[in-house]
Amino acid sequence: MKFIKNFYWLICLYIANLSFVVNAQNIDIKEDWQYREIKTDKWFPATVPGEIHTDLLNNKAIPDPFYRDNEKKVQWIEKKDWEYKTTFKVTASTLKKKNTELVFDGLDTYATVYLNNQLILTANNMFRQWRVDVKKILKSGNNDLVVVFKSAQNVVDSLAKKDLPFIIPDNPRAYVRKAQYHFGWDWGPKFTTCGIWKTPRLEAYDEKSSEKPYVLNRKIELIQQPDSLGKSFYFKIDGKPVYMKGANYIPSDAFLSRMNKKEYEKVIALAKDANMNMLRIWGGGIYEDDYFYDLCDKYGINVWQDFMFAGTMVPGDKAFFDNVKEEVQYQVKRLRHHPSIVLWCGNNESDEAFKSWGWQKSMKMSKQDSTRLWHDYVRLFHDSIPKWVKEVDGKRPYISSSPLFHWSKEKSTTQGDSHYWGTWWGLQDIEITEKKTGRFVSEYGMEAMPNYSSIEKFTLPEDRYLYSDILEAHQKAGKGFMKLESYLNRYFISSEKIKKMSVEDYTYLTQCLQYFALKNIIGIHRSKAPYNMGTLVWQLNDCWPVASWSVTDYYDRQPKAAWYAMKEAYRDDKTPEIELTRPIDLKLEDPKIIWVVKGNKVTLKAVKPAKYVYVSINGYTGKWSDNYIDLKEGEEKTISFEGKIKEPVIKVFSLYEVLKKY
């Protein structure tokens, strides 16, 4: 009887939902868009969702921004204002609905919207949803929709100038609620975009659907308790401590509209296949697409979610705070049903930046201005955001900033989470990790070149020498090549020999360096559990082809050498290896590697021990089951590639072959 009652209840619920679906009409507005530069006559076809750079590229108005040094050749785009228009049809049945709203989930960023020549919306936040009641403006048949975008760069420059002599460090980007990486980063290009980056729609309905009930079926705790060594920092899921192994995630493309489901599947598969159980969504990008979190839910990848603030202070005016409140509550309500999200974090590095990056001195800041900046910071990240979050999600922990202490401070390794950049930025030896492991290391890394196949895509043959202008254009890190040379000199090959290297060999060695660094740092971190309860490499992915700390490439999401190191070091079925003998100190002999290909498997054997054996197939950019492997004398190892390749052209070499050339 109980079963029959439940069955009828489910049928009634289904019919009720069906009737709502029948009564509501959602019309996507993504067809027949056009764009033009303001105050020009000619219109061109546009794609929605999209951005001005991709529209210009699709219309052959600009060269590929990722190729050679074209980045600097398209900087003019961000200084212009742009206009988009389309016409959409509305039926009489739609007009009969009691309510009709235009909904914009993504306008980037300063947008003025007109419907049938009437101003309906002025938007100023890329991360907010904008809803407008348009019932009285809509008409049967064709309706004209126009969106005008002001240059975000011009607006923020104007706001910063207006505030003088008061300065918000470190960039006028602080004034705008827009993806901060669009203004350039130490791994990213400067493409300050505008456009309709998510599909707009018309929603017509008689009654508003009830809000989806918020249910979180697991208990999430962040344990921060004083102990004899400092203060713990670890996650408990359903009462059990979980050691977090993972990476930091940045937006996977400089142009966000290019990210489709297939691309998200590739990126999350890279995390899953490398045995990760956490991704940290870095605060200079975006709140990701729902599909991203769906995949994390599916594969058991916990998400540390920053709010979108990174390495800067904030305006303190009421309008800015009101804008951020709408953003925070909209995004938390949108995302809170994803069980993968385990933490809300106020910002990336703003706290430590204010205290340790020397802004007060470099910007000649008055004590009064410094006090005001810190007061506004505290009001937003300590007082306001946690309160706004709690109003819509009281079930997850919140922290104000990641981290609280600069890597040079002693407390960085004894309490809280740590961004340990003594290696790379501080040029410290990799072995320093033995003494400098924090309670939860949420950022650290080693740079490497992108895969050589990527370098071939963005260069001409005449660009492929160290350190050409084109290679410099794809190296955004401050003194990046100098730092790479410093580490290569200590760990692989002397500096005078580096300068004679081909770009292909140099690329291989930088990737071996990244492999060596991450393998050992992860191994050391994990060996210090439960003192250390998390290790998140900077970074999983790239948004364009560039020398960076990413363990995967932009093109085809192809793994770099270090991805294979992480995959092994993050295994739960064995203790990670720590091998601190520097490759430069090894006595390498010619390994005389032989190999046999059968189907999608390559079996390798070495006469003498071989280090960092790299296998590639001409034209193949997928994942291998393993790569950059070590072979013992006489040992056979079989690795496999994905799919089928007819008559694969295989190249195999090791550290010995590369070093002996120089």
Side-chain angles (χ1 to χ4, degrees):
M1 193 64 170
K2 187 178 177 183
F3 169 79
I4 293 169
K5 280 183 179 177
N6 286 344
F7 176 75
Y8 280 122
W9 180 83
L10 285 170
I11 290 293
C12 291
L13 190 66
Y14 172 75
I15 291 167
N17 284 339
L18 189 65
S19 67
F20 173 75
V21 172
V22 170
N23 287 329
Q25 296 177 2
N26 284 359
I27 303 163
D28 284 348
I29 304 170
K30 59 190 297 186
E31 305 299 329
D32 303 320
W33 283 93
Q34 295 177 285
Y35 79 92
R36 70 176 178 183
E37 184 186 333
I38 291 289
K39 295 179 182 173
T40 61
D41 296 325
K42 192 170 179 185
W43 291 87
F44 299 90
T47 303
V48 168
E51 48 271 294
I52 188 58
H53 291 73
T54 50
D55 284 328
L56 288 163
L57 185 60
N58 292 339
N59 283 279
K60 298 182 169 56
I62 58 169
D64 178 0
F66 292 178
Y67 185 63
R68 302 192 80 224
D69 58 352
N70 285 345
E71 177 196 0
K72 66 185 179 187
K73 295 174 184 174
V74 298
Q75 293 301 300
W76 60 271
I77 299 167
E78 69 184 37
K79 295 286 190 178
K80 304 286 187 180
D81 297 336
W82 300 91
E83 184 175 1
Y84 283 74
K85 72 173 183 179
T86 192
T87 299
F88 63 96
K89 284 189 177 176
V90 176
T91 63
S93 67
T94 300
L95 288 176
K96 285 177 186 173
K97 298 294 176 191
K98 290 179 185 174
N99 304 282
T100 44
E101 295 178 328
L102 261 179
V103 184
F104 297 91
D105 289 328
L107 291 173
D108 174 17
T109 292
Y110 292 106
T112 312
V113 184
Y114 301 86
L115 179 62
N116 296 330
N117 296 316
Q118 290 193 46
L119 173 65
I120 61 166
L121 172 65
T122 303
N124 63 349
N125 188 326
M126 178 179 173
F127 307 123
R128 279 177 63 181
Q129 182 188 77
W130 303 91
R131 285 182 170 269
V132 189
D133 180 355
V134 292
K135 184 163 180 63
K136 292 178 181 176
I137 305 173
L138 281 178
K139 59 187 182 181
S140 186
N142 287 340
N143 288 262
D144 297 324
L145 183 61
V146 175
V147 185
V148 180
F149 290 99
K150 275 188 181 176
S151 156
Q153 189 64 61
N154 290 348
V155 172
V156 298
D157 288 345
S158 170
L159 290 170
K161 193 175 178 183
K162 191 175 163 187
D163 252 2
L164 289 173
F166 179 68
I167 296 171
I168 299 178
D170 67 333
N171 190 297
R173 65 183 169 82
Y175 289 90
V176 62
R177 298 310 302 139
K178 173 176 172 61
Q180 300 287 278
Y181 84 112
H182 284 165
F183 294 87
W185 220 265
D186 57 5
W187 38 257
K190 188 177 191 300
F191 299 129
T192 310
T193 56
C194 72
I196 304 165
W197 73 288
K198 294 189 177 185
T199 305
R201 64 189 176 277
L202 185 71
E203 289 187 2
Y205 56 92
D206 290 324
E207 288 184 30
K208 196 114 182 160
S209 61
S210 56
E211 201 171 85
K212 190 196 297 187
Y214 169 39
V215 179
L216 185 62
N217 288 324
R218 61 178 186 158
K219 187 180 180 184
I220 300 162
E221 299 170 90
L222 176 61
I223 309 300
Q224 299 186 82
Q225 293 178 338
D227 56 27
S228 61
L229 300 166
K231 195 176 182 182
S232 66
F233 189 106
Y234 67 94
F235 291 89
K236 255 189 188 179
I237 311 294
D238 291 331
K240 293 180 181 177
V242 178
Y243 188 96
M244 296 299 181
K245 310 166 297 171
N248 288 261
Y249 180 90
I250 65 168
S252 287
D253 207 298
F255 304 122
L256 291 165
S257 66
R258 289 174 168 175
M259 286 303 294
N260 53 33
K261 286 189 172 182
K262 190 177 176 184
E263 285 300 306
Y264 277 119
E265 285 162 7
K266 281 186 197 172
V267 176
I268 300 302
L270 287 164
K272 176 183 172 283
D273 293 347
N275 300 307
M276 297 184 194
N277 66 0
M278 177 171 269
L279 289 175
R280 172 177 175 252
I281 312 301
W282 169 75
I286 60 168
Y287 306 94
E288 276 298 336
D289 187 89
D290 258 301
Y291 193 60
F292 174 98
Y293 302 96
D294 287 341
L295 291 168
C296 291
D297 295 342
K298 179 180 177 181
Y299 293 119
I301 296 171
N302 299 289
V303 173
W304 167 319
Q305 179 69 56
D306 281 2
F307 289 104
M308 292 303 117
F309 298 89
T312 186
M313 302 308 278
V314 292
D317 58 280
K318 184 178 183 299
F320 185 86
F321 271 57
D322 289 346
N323 198 356
V324 172
K325 180 181 180 180
E326 292 295 325
E327 167 193 326
V328 165
Q329 295 203 318
Y330 163 67
Q331 291 293 350
V332 172
K333 286 177 81 171
R334 178 176 76 91
L335 299 174
R336 66 188 179 184
H337 68 279
H338 289 285
S340 54
I341 297 174
V342 296
L343 181 69
W344 304 113
C345 174
N347 66 71
N348 170 77
E349 295 187 346
S350 298
D351 191 303
E352 69 144 302
F354 186 79
K355 294 170 182 171
S356 302
W357 289 7
W359 282 336
Q360 290 83 351
K361 187 178 178 182
S362 65
M363 296 182 174
K364 298 182 174 72
M365 211 179 282
S366 70
K367 190 173 181 182
Q368 183 182 356
D369 286 353
S370 179
T371 302
R372 174 180 157 188
L373 277 170
W374 182 247
H375 176 68
D376 290 340
Y377 173 90
V378 169
R379 279 199 305 124
L380 187 60
F381 295 107
H382 290 225
D383 303 334
S384 301
I385 291 181
K387 185 181 82 174
W388 299 334
V389 169
K390 200 167 185 179
E391 286 171 5
V392 287
D393 179 14
K395 299 179 181 181
R396 286 181 176 86
Y398 168 86
I399 60 172
S400 61
S401 184
S402 175
L404 289 181
F405 305 106
H406 188 262
W407 60 263
S408 63
K409 310 292 183 190
E410 189 180 344
K411 283 184 178 177
S412 172
T413 56
T414 61
Q415 63 183 71
D417 71 307
S418 168
H419 292 191
Y420 194 74
W421 287 109
T423 44
W424 183 259
W425 288 111
L427 287 175
Q428 293 174 339
D429 289 346
I430 291 157
E431 296 85 345
I432 195 75
T433 311
E434 288 275 16
K435 296 175 185 173
K436 298 284 187 179
T437 291
R439 310 307 294 263
F440 191 109
V441 190
S442 48
E443 274 194 29
Y444 64 94
M446 179 60 66
E447 200 190 69
M449 294 288 280
N451 289 327
Y452 191 66
S453 58
S454 286
I455 293 170
E456 289 179 312
K457 281 186 181 178
F458 69 74
T459 60
L460 288 168
E462 57 263 38
D463 303 325
R464 295 170 203 154
Y465 64 90
L466 298 179
Y467 301 95
S468 72
D469 289 346
I470 303 304
L471 289 186
E472 288 278 5
H474 291 256
Q475 164 66 279
K476 296 293 185 179
K479 300 181 180 175
F481 285 126
M482 181 277 284
K483 287 177 177 167
L484 273 174
E485 184 175 317
S486 173
Y487 279 104
L488 287 174
N489 179 58
R490 277 177 272 168
Y491 286 87
F492 283 88
I493 189 171
S494 63
S495 288
E496 63 270 17
K497 291 181 178 179
I498 292 170
K499 292 174 175 61
K500 299 173 187 172
M501 296 185 80
S502 71
V503 172
E504 186 172 13
D505 289 342
Y506 178 84
T507 295
Y508 166 80
L509 273 196
T510 66
Q511 293 209 12
C512 291
L513 167 68
Q514 192 183 35
Y515 184 111
F516 177 88
L518 296 192
K519 170 185 176 174
N520 287 302
I521 294 173
I522 291 168
I524 293 167
H525 285 172
R526 293 193 68 189
S527 74
K528 294 186 182 293
Y531 178 84
N532 167 269
M533 284 297 286
T535 176
L536 306 180
V537 168
W538 183 271
Q539 66 216 61
L540 174 66
N541 56 321
D542 269 330
C543 68
W544 77 313
V546 66
S548 81
W549 302 267
S550 176
V551 297
T552 63
D553 219 23
Y554 170 76
Y555 290 121
D556 303 303
R557 312 294 168 194
Q558 187 185 22
K560 288 158 66 170
W563 183 86
Y564 297 98
M566 290 175 72
K567 181 183 177 185
E568 183 69 15
Y570 280 161
R571 284 171 58 176
D572 279 329
D573 60 339
K574 61 176 286 191
T575 304
E577 276 185 15
I578 301 169
E579 186 187 16
L580 291 173
T581 303
R582 297 185 178 191
I584 201 168
D585 295 328
L586 295 171
K587 292 179 180 175
L588 300 171
E589 298 178 74
D590 186 351
K592 295 185 170 63
I593 300 165
I594 56 172
W595 64 89
V596 176
V597 185
K598 194 172 183 181
N600 71 332
K601 291 183 167 59
V602 180
T603 300
L604 303 129
K605 189 174 181 180
V607 174
K608 296 285 184 182
K611 200 81 183 156
Y612 301 125
V613 178
Y614 172 59
V615 185
S616 67
I617 296 175
N618 192 27
Y620 175 67
T621 55
K623 292 197 294 273
W624 290 79
S625 61
D626 202 357
N627 213 337
Y628 294 86
I629 59 177
D630 291 348
L631 289 172
K632 294 174 185 171
E633 187 174 316
E635 178 188 20
E636 265 192 14
K637 257 188 191 175
T638 300
I639 62 174
S640 58
F641 54 89
E642 297 169 331
K644 292 179 182 177
I645 298 173
K646 194 177 179 181
E647 298 179 2
V649 178
I650 286 191
K651 187 175 179 181
V652 178
F653 57 85
S654 69
L655 186 61
Y656 170 83
E657 279 88 7
V658 171
L659 293 182
K660 77 169 184 180
K661 295 182 191 176
Y662 306 97

